[in-house]
Amino acid sequence: VVIVGAGFGGLTCARALKRAPVQVTLIDRNNYHLFTPLLYQVASALLDPAEVARPVRSLVRPLANVDFRLGNVERIDLEARRVVTDRGDVPYDYLVMAAGSQTNYFGNRSLEAAAHGLKELPEALTLRNLVLRRFESSAWETDEETRKRQLTFVVVGGGPTGVEYAGAISELIRLVLARDMPGLDPEEPRVVLLEAADSLLGAFDPRLRAAAERALRRKGVEVRCGTQVAGVREGWLELGGGGRLPAATVVWTAGVRASDLAPGLAAAAEVVPGRQGRIPVDTALRLPGHDDVFVIGDLASYEVDGQALPMLIPVAMQQARHAARSIRDLIQDRRPRAFRYRDPGIMATIGRNAAVAQIGRLRLSGFPGWLLWLGVHLVNVVSFRSRLLVLINWAWEYLLFDRPVRLIVAARPEDPDSDRLSDRGRQPRKKR
Ligand SMILES: Cc1cc2nc3c(=O)[nH]c(=O)nc-3n(C[C@H](O)[C@H](O)[C@H](O)COP(=O)(O)OP(=O)(O)OC[C@H]3O[C@@H](n4cnc5c(N)ncnc54)[C@H](O)[C@@H]3O)c2cc1C
C-alpha cells in the first residue's frame, strides 16, 4: 500500500493498517506531521514549531510494516500503478491519496504575490517574523502615515482560521507588545478582519456567529463583513466596492482548494473535479473506475445530501480508517462497505477566555466554550511531549501575559537538492 501524504488522513490510515498483512510506504514532501489547529499560535508567537509538528519517522516508528519516504509526489501513473516522485517511482497494489489542500487565491496574482497564507509551517514562521518586524520598524518611523500602515494588519476570511488569527494577533499586540514597547501608542496598531459574507463563521449557528463577532470587537479587532478584496498593492488593499485600505501586512485565509495533484489525477481517471477542485469518489471512497485507488480528506469530494463533506480533521481521520478497513476487506475478497460520516461538532477560539463550540444540540460560547476548546485541543495534540510544552506555554501566557517565543529568526533558504551528490561531487579529487 502506498499512502501519499502524512497529514491527518495519511497518518491515520498508516496507523489503521498496523496489523494488516500489507507493507505500507508513506510518502510526504515534509518530514513532519503538522497539527494545523494550533498553527495560528506559531504565527502569533505563542508556540514554537516543534510544539505543533512531529517528525513522521518518530510517529511511524512503532508501526513495523510502515516505511516513510521523504519526497515530492509529482503525479500518479494509474495505468502502470506507480507513484511518480522527484526521487523515483514507487509501485503500488493499493494507493491512498491523502495529499490535502492548499491556499486558493482564485487566480488573483496580486493577492498571491503580496498576501500571506496561513496553511503551512514556514508561512506561520514568516508571519511571526513579519508581525514582530513591523513593530520594530515602526519604532524608527517618523512619518505618521507610514507608521500607521506598518501597524495595520488585515486578515481576510472570517472562517475559523481568520477569526482565530485575528483574535490572537490582537492579543499579542495589546497584551504583550504594548508592554514591550513603552513608546507605542496602544491605539495606533489596527487588526482588521474582512469577510465577504454577511457574517463570520458561516458554518456555525447564528447565535454563536454573533457571539464570536462581539468577542473579537471586545478584543479590539475591527470586523468588516460584506467586504470583498479586489487585490493587494504594495502597502494597500483594494476593496471590492472601490475603496482602499492602507495596510502593510495582509493575511489571506479566505480560500482553500485541493492539492496540485488533483487536476492530473482527475484527468487520468477522466472524472470532473468538484468544488474547490476536489476529486469525486464512490461510496467506498474510491476513485471512480479505479478500485485500487482511495482518495480521502481534503482532496476528496464525498457528498452527503448533495453537499461535499467539509475540509476538516474528523472527516480526514474517519475516511482514513474506512479506507484502511476497505483495503483489509479487499485483500480478503470482501466487498468494501459504504462510508458514513459521524459529525463530532465544530469549534473556534477567539483568544483568551472566548471560544464558540457547536456539538450536536449543545451550543457554548465565552468562557465555557473556551475551556472545552482548550481541553479538546490539548488531548488531540499529537504527542505527550508536545501536549506538555503546549500546556506550559499556554499557562505562562495566561498567567504572565508573556509570549516567550517572540524571536525574529528565519532559516536561510535551503537548496532542496543539497543532499544529492552532483556528478561533479562524485568525481575523485585531483591530486595537487
Ligand atoms: C490553519 C489551519 C487550521 C485548521 N484548523 C482546523 C481545526 O481546528 N479543526 C479541523 O477539523 N480542521 C482544521 N483545519 C483543516 C484540517 O487541517 C484539514 O481538514 C486536514 O488536515 C485534512 O487532512 P488531510 O490528510 O486531507 O490533509 P493534510 O493534513 O493537509 O495532509 C496532507 C499531507 O500531504 C502532503 N503533501 C501534499 N502534497 C504532496 C506532494 N505532492 N508530495 C508529497 N506530499 C504531499 C503535505 O505535506 C501534508 O503532510 C485547519 C487547517 C488549517 C490550514
Side-chain angles (χ1 to χ4, degrees), residues 296-329:
I296 61 171
D298 287 2
L299 187 59
S301 171
Y302 184 86
E303 292 197 354
V304 176
D305 300 330
Q307 274 234 298
L309 288 177
M311 289 182 172
L312 288 174
I313 294 163
V315 175
M317 291 178 76
Q318 289 180 31
Q319 291 187 334
R321 288 189 203 103
H322 190 86
R325 191 184 317 140
S326 300
I327 290 172
R328 286 198 301 264
D329 283 344

Side-chain angles (χ1 to χ4, degrees), residues 4-10 27-30 32-34 36-40 71-74 98-101 118-120 160-161 164 259 261 296-299 310-314 316 347 373 377:
V4 175
F8 284 94
I27 307 174
D28 202 294
R29 61 184 171 201
N30 296 319
Y32 53 81
H33 166 88
L34 178 64
T36 50
L38 297 183
L39 187 63
Y40 80 93
N72 188 42
V73 172
E74 288 168 349
S101 55
L118 182 47
K119 184 103 180 60
E120 312 264 343
T161 302
E164 290 178 341
S259 138
L261 291 173
I296 61 171
D298 287 2
L299 187 59
M311 289 182 172
L312 288 174
I313 294 163
M347 49 179 70
W373 184 93
H377 284 77

Side-chain angles (χ1 to χ4, degrees), residues 342-366:
R342 289 170 306 281
D343 181 1
I346 45 176
M347 49 179 70
T349 180
I350 305 117
R352 153 186 302 256
N353 299 341
V356 287
Q358 178 170 320
I359 298 159
R361 289 195 184 161
L362 182 69
R363 303 282 181 272
L364 289 178
S365 58

